[in-house]
Amino acid sequence: MGEIFRKAVKRDAERLQEVVYGAYAQIRELELRWPAAHADVELIEANIEANDCYVLELDGVIAATITLNREPLPESFGRLPFLKWFAAAPEFQGAGLGGRLLDWVENQVIRDGLHEPAVTLATAEKHPWLLSMYERRGYKRFQAFDSGNGDGTMHLLRKEVGSAFEPV
């Protein structure tokens, strides 16, 4: 079967809950208040319905997921597409599948589908490796903020993905 990139559907919610909950264990340990870290099946279903949730299946098993936000965001986040709920199932971590899904969404969905020049996401400064991981992938910090909820400094990051009409 190999790798398949696709949009999630409601019947994927139970597996997606397993993937996200498992992948976000460190987020819970850090006591970050990210909705995905504590998501139950109903919240996963709501995410699928309200946003564009993408998955990477490997041999018929969902291995990674990421969501293109369609819900209202603070004006300070800007108008560019915003990614959230990025996760690779613990049993697939380290295999590069999350990175392949992120590349696919950046290029096929954001650049070629939406014809947007860049994409944004946010992460917490106190997470020991997420900020540096995104920066290695070409994301650049453009805004820092503290929402006052105990998560500390959050960083908005942006990555140029080019245009569907010119090489990246």
Side-chain angles (χ1 to χ4, degrees), residues 94-160:
L97 297 175
R100 287 206 288 282
L101 177 60
L102 184 55
D103 289 341
W104 183 82
V105 169
E106 290 167 351
N107 295 311
Q108 300 299 312
V109 176
I110 306 298
R111 186 192 67 205
D112 298 346
L114 298 176
H115 306 290
E116 291 284 357
V119 62
T120 61
L121 53 77
T123 196
E125 186 171 285
K126 75 178 178 181
H127 192 285
W129 52 265
L130 277 177
L131 194 54
S132 62
M133 179 201 71
Y134 287 124
E135 288 175 330
R136 282 191 308 274
R137 294 189 58 78
Y139 284 82
K140 298 191 181 337
R141 301 177 208 194
F142 71 92
Q143 183 182 76
F145 64 95
D146 186 334
S147 61
N149 67 357
D151 285 352
T153 302
M154 297 292 294
H155 292 275
L156 288 174
L157 297 102
R158 171 186 167 132
K159 180 178 181 181
E160 304 293 325

Side-chain angles (χ1 to χ4, degrees), residues 27-38:
I27 302 299
R28 290 187 302 280
E29 290 169 12
L30 292 169
E31 298 181 357
L32 294 167
R33 291 164 180 81
W34 298 0
H38 304 279

